Amino acid sequence: MASRPLPYSTRDLHYDNAKFRHRSPFKVITQALVSSNVRHDCGRCSIGKFLILLMFGGLTYLMLVHRSYNLDTPAFEKTDHGNGGIGRIGNFLRKPPRLPPRLSPDEVRNISSNLEIGKPSTESEWISRQGKVKEAFIHAWSGYKSFAMGKDELMPLTKRGVDGLGGLGATVIDSLDTAMIMGINEIAAEAGTWIEKNLMQRISEKGQVNLFETTIRVLGGLLSAYHLSGSDSGKSLLSKGPKREVFLETAKGLADRLLVAFTASPTAIPFSDVVLRDQSAHPAPDGLSSTSEVSTLQLEFNYLSAISGDPKYSAKAIKVLEHMRTLPKVEGLVPIYISPHSGQFSGENIRLGSRGDSYYEYLIKVWLQQKASRDGQLKYLHEMYEEAMKGVRHLLVQKSIPKGLIFVGELPFGTKDSFSPKMDHLVCFLPGTLALGATKGITKKKAIEQNLLNAEDMENLNLAEDLAKTCFEMYAVTSTGLAPEIAYFHTEGAYEGGHDGGNKSSEYINDIIIKPNDRHNLLRPETVESLFVLYRITEDPKYREWGWQIFKAFEKHTKIDSGGYTSLDDVTTLPPRKRDKMETFFLGETLKYLYLLFGDTNVLPLDKYVFNTEAHPFPIIESTG
Ligand code: DMJ
């Protein structure tokens, strides 16, 4: 397994121990004599002999008065204390030792943790690491339960809850299937019971919610809980709590209200917001919907149609993608805004970060979800995906300098103007999606054996591996070991020095630029999501090791003693400034992916399950029936 190159390789460190060891004056002089030409040219002449005698005399004197001293003491503290003038003579004769490179305690810590990466871990170690993730989930839930039960999110520092997502208790629903997958029956039962008692009523009474957020977190969470608690998942993962029908009925009740976002719009593109109690919908204040938001509803609505037997959900949602198929694009890439009034894309800003990301993710996942339609009705989605990935490789992928990290940048003004070397952490979903799209969820080894990978798939898979490394380095380059929300990359055309991640021992310290406003970390999942998918597909253990490094950094810097984990304000300083929020996706996604990454690869296999963008797994539908 390749270990991350260190700023000073292990060999150098050992070498330094010899090279930089303090040398006594005796050694300085004798080594000089032995190695210098004096020996050859003047050794035999009388002036030479006199000089040698003089030197030995001086040397004996120095040995008598010399006090050994500690190399760690700074030079300015090493002069006169107790030595008087004699010490100064010693210092004068002594060739100043070259000190080993000085590393801060953090850098030393980083080096030792990086060295750990090189150490192969046994399967039993992974089981114990998986146990640590489970403990983290229990800690996160206990904070939420103690201070914010029923609120959307926990504010772990001020120990209260906040309704940032419309007040449906989003953390409860986002957490439920994670608890089921981890086999924590008590939490699953608490969450399930809360849903049974409260959610339907809230759905009928609450006000404005965002269509996308509510679909991926709440609808998605209910649907996977329904699946995982039923016999069609192989075994029920919910031994206590409500009957599974509760989840399906609640999901239908919610989706029936969300559908108004589609029916109220004059085009196939839904409005962005729904007022639940009024069953009305309206566009965002600027009139536009985000491209990723309207195209990241289909897995959920399709699955609801499949299990409820009512095609209306799927029919509305899939129309969005059918419509998008007809719109002009730039090599398969699309602007991040779309108008529900005109049905056209708006502006020219192209990126795979915020507002663009999961458009690309769902093209391939919706295609994967319905096996029987892959070569028929849904074939166009695969074509759109392939074209888009070609466009990504052609227009958005570049290499940083000096060390050559592959990254995905942006085209803020389309192809007419310059490329921006900016990459949101959100883009780190892409390595996983690319790998999944290449092998369709089976291992790379199997796909190669069965001759299933074409040139395009191979390119995408290679890009996936390069990008996963970059995403990992976005963590490793900071003082905390946690990634910023946004990174810029140093390229030939663009450089803004002065804003590095703070980990001076990172090889990529000059490649990755982190601007002051982008230094926060919201406990996001995208990188660990990709590490999980890449580990499943390539079976390369380095992805697990990277995930473990990231998990340890979350534990160290974001865990709050009284319960829960918090977002950070600045990942580049130690100790990092904290924000007061635990996002629902930390329980729904981040910890779930880490748990799966360290666990048995047969759990939720990627050729049988497709994860929605909030990490809620739905079974792949094998037949049209
Ligand atoms: C989640 O809600 C989803 O993963 C979404 O697709 C992107 N943003 C967050 C996590 O970062």
Side-chain angles (χ1 to χ4, degrees), residues 7 49 75 79 142 186 189 252 258 342 366 420 424 430 432 454 456 541 563 570 574 581 613:
K49 279 178 188 154
T79 48
S142 78
E186 203 178 309
K252 282 200 288 185
L258 295 178
S342 68
V366 175
S420 165
D424 294 351
L430 188 61
N454 60 27
E456 202 70 21
D570 184 352
L574 286 174
K581 175 80 98 65
T613 196

Side-chain angles (χ1 to χ4, degrees), residues 212-213 216-217 357-358 361 426 524-526 585 589 613-614:
F212 158 78
E213 298 292 3
I216 65 169
R217 302 185 203 217
D357 47 5
S358 45
E361 180 186 350
L426 288 167
R524 284 198 192 277
E526 290 75 19
F585 46 69
E589 295 194 71
T613 196
E614 190 75 5

Side-chain angles (χ1 to χ4, degrees), residues 312-327:
K312 71 179 176 193
Y313 308 106
S314 175
K316 283 287 176 210
I318 204 71
K319 280 224 164 61
V320 179
L321 297 178
E322 285 169 358
H323 172 76
M324 284 178 154
R325 178 189 186 182
T326 66
L327 299 179

Side-chain angles (χ1 to χ4, degrees), residues 129-139 182-184 595:
R129 288 174 178 184
Q130 199 189 30
K132 299 270 180 242
V133 179
K134 188 168 168 176
E135 281 168 25
F137 178 82
I138 293 169
H139 184 79
M182 292 181 176
I184 315 172
Y595 182 84

Side-chain angles (χ1 to χ4, degrees), residues 3-4 53 119 188 236 313 319 390 392 462 483 499 504 510 515 539 557 606:
S3 64
R4 226 160 60 76
L53 260 175
K119 197 178 67 183
S236 171
Y313 308 106
K319 280 224 164 61
K390 255 190 210 154
V392 167
N462 290 339
H499 300 306
K504 306 288 183 213
N510 294 316
K515 297 191 184 181
E539 302 173 284
H557 298 294
L606 293 177

Side-chain angles (χ1 to χ4, degrees), residues 156-201:
L157 300 183
T158 46
K159 301 192 184 121
R160 57 203 166 104
V162 59
D163 279 337
L165 293 158
L168 297 180
T171 292
V172 180
I173 307 125
D174 233 1
S175 302
L176 173 56
D177 64 357
T178 308
M180 292 164 83
I181 291 164
M182 292 181 176
I184 315 172
N185 282 329
E186 203 178 309
I187 296 181
E190 277 164 9
T193 307
W194 185 92
I195 289 169
E196 182 174 32
K197 285 200 183 135
N198 301 286
L199 190 53
M200 209 47 237
Q201 191 181 352

